Amino acid sequence: MSNEAPGTIEFTDGITAIDTDHIRPLFDASHLIVEGGRAAFVDTGANSSVPRLLAALSRKNIDPADVDYVFLTHVHLDHAGGAGLLMQALPNAKAVLHPRGAPHMIDPAKLIRGAQAVYGEQKFAEEYGDIVPISAERIIVIDDEYEISLSGRILQCIYTEGHARHHYVLYDSQSKSVFTGDSFGLSYREFDTAKGEFIYPTTTPVHFDPPEAHKAIDRIIGLQPEQLMLTHYSRVTELTRLADDMHKRIDDFVDIARRHAKDELRTEKMHQSMYTYFHDELAAHGFAGSTEQVHDIVEIDVMLNTMGLEYWLDHQ
Ligand SMILES: [Zn+2]
């Protein structure tokens, strides 16, 4: 056994996945990139994740002062909720944000209200606590294809809508990786089988946009990466098949929404259809776990995806 924390995965090219332990183990990853003694985080998890991120630095003998960037793919709180608190421990770091995301980290009031509407006030307080703002002078606001040097290693920010209108992904040509945030779906390692990786889109409220979600997949694949680093959960490599699966499942989720659009008890009907969908697709994928295991793992996504699809139905 190594001395690594549970859920930590070491990759080549100075890349590490750190389990933020947000919601449950192996749900939410922060990625650390180390180059020439300098470091950057991609997504941070929540406030409760910050000690794990700092412990990962310390295991690598990296001083918090040597962290140059905190890349926030978007400001949903499972990605950026802990960023303000983390920045307090990183004296030289700048947070890197999409122009539509930056205002929400400078003044998180709207972000907090939005998340309270999604999770409920009590659950929000338990899971996210006090969101620490980031001062404007510590934020780099990007353009599309903006390039940033981490000790000479060029990292490129690429706009991707579909999941959120303030989302970007980070392309690292050195490792041929794209850090995809939520723009290339979710792929939990528990669902890996002999048939490989299992992936599906996240249609979280309030900006799910099917045509843009399809475009995001094509734009990411167009970078010709060899691996994608998903926030939920870390590396996937079967990119051609996974891109096909993503395109198909974006359409499948839209079909579920349309099929129930006029139903009474629309939310419950959509939940049922989503659970059935996951059950069937995972069975076809060779997942041997029980119905309860499937339910436990996908429950949060069934809830959030349904919310986002209903918002989309109501605002087309
Ligand atoms: Zn998100």
Side-chain angles (χ1 to χ4, degrees):
M1 286 292 288
S2 74
N3 65 349
E4 295 297 343
T8 299
I9 312 170
E10 295 288 348
F11 301 107
T12 55
D13 292 293
I15 299 171
T16 305
I18 304 156
D19 190 345
T20 69
D21 203 33
H22 174 60
I23 309 285
R24 65 168 187 266
L26 297 174
F27 172 72
D28 190 54
S30 169
H31 287 92
L32 178 66
I33 309 172
V34 177
E35 180 68 33
R38 311 300 298 182
F41 286 104
V42 187
D43 290 342
T44 67
N47 285 338
S48 59
S49 313
V50 170
R52 288 173 158 250
L53 273 47
L54 297 176
L57 288 180
S58 134
R59 280 196 305 274
K60 292 178 176 301
N61 295 315
I62 295 166
D63 193 286
D66 295 334
V67 177
D68 290 338
Y69 306 109
V70 175
F71 291 97
L72 300 170
T73 58
H74 63 306
V75 301
H76 289 167
L77 293 178
D78 49 332
H79 300 255
L85 186 65
L86 178 67
M87 294 283 289
Q88 290 182 341
L90 309 176
N92 298 316
K94 298 259 199 230
V96 182
L97 281 147
H98 189 289
R100 291 195 190 108
H104 298 294
M105 293 311 297
I106 296 167
D107 176 8
K110 198 173 161 197
L111 201 61
I112 292 166
R113 280 199 303 278
Q116 284 172 334
V118 169
Y119 296 101
E121 270 184 51
Q122 194 189 331
K123 200 150 188 249
F124 170 83
E126 285 165 17
E127 279 170 7
Y128 294 105
D130 294 324
I131 304 301
V132 177
I134 302 174
S135 65
E137 59 270 25
R138 296 195 68 191
I139 293 180
I140 295 172
V141 177
I142 57 160
D143 297 315
D144 192 19
E145 302 187 355
Y146 190 93
E147 292 186 345
I148 289 185
S149 164
L150 177 69
S151 191
R153 178 168 172 176
I154 300 301
L155 304 170
Q156 190 178 35
C157 302
I158 307 284
Y159 285 5
T160 49
E161 295 191 28
H163 174 77
R165 295 185 63 229
H166 62 273
H167 200 301
Y168 71 89
V169 300
L170 191 70
Y171 172 53
D172 170 27
S173 61
Q174 178 170 317
S175 65
K176 297 192 167 55
S177 307
V178 182
F179 297 82
T180 56
D182 283 346
S183 287
F184 204 93
L186 314 169
S187 177
Y188 301 123
R189 303 282 56 84
E190 292 96 323
F191 290 148
D192 289 348
T193 69
K195 293 192 175 177
E197 297 147 350
F198 184 81
I199 203 160
Y200 55 95
T202 162
T203 67
T204 306
V206 294
H207 291 139
F208 174 56
D209 180 336
E212 289 293 336
H214 284 295
K215 266 196 239 169
I217 301 306
D218 292 338
R219 190 149 196 220
I220 290 166
I221 292 298
L223 297 165
Q224 300 187 295
E226 289 179 356
Q227 56 185 7
L228 303 181
M229 301 298 190
L230 282 55
T231 301
H232 315 276
Y233 185 93
S234 202
R235 180 168 70 165
V236 294
T237 58
E238 300 166 73
L239 304 191
T240 306
R241 176 180 63 81
L242 294 178
D244 289 346
D245 288 353
M246 281 294 292
H247 282 305
K248 176 178 178 295
R249 288 179 177 148
I250 290 166
D251 294 340
D252 290 345
F253 286 164
V254 165
D255 286 348
I256 288 174
R258 290 215 171 103
R259 203 186 320 144
H260 294 298
K262 300 215 159 57
D263 285 3
E264 272 180 64
L265 302 175
R266 179 176 74 177
T267 306
E268 288 79 355
K269 290 277 169 55
M270 283 175 64
H271 286 169
Q272 281 166 16
S273 287
M274 285 253 174
Y275 281 122
T276 302
Y277 181 83
F278 282 118
H279 184 271
D280 293 350
E281 294 286 303
L282 280 160
H285 184 65
F287 180 68
S290 66
T291 305
E292 285 78 44
Q293 276 173 298
V294 171
H295 188 287
D296 285 351
I297 294 171
V298 303
E299 183 178 17
I300 186 171
D301 302 319
V302 167
M303 299 298 147
L304 291 174
N305 275 12
T306 298
M307 261 186 231
L309 289 166
E310 291 201 276
Y311 188 95
W312 169 75
L313 281 172
D314 293 341
H315 293 82
Q316 278 187 90

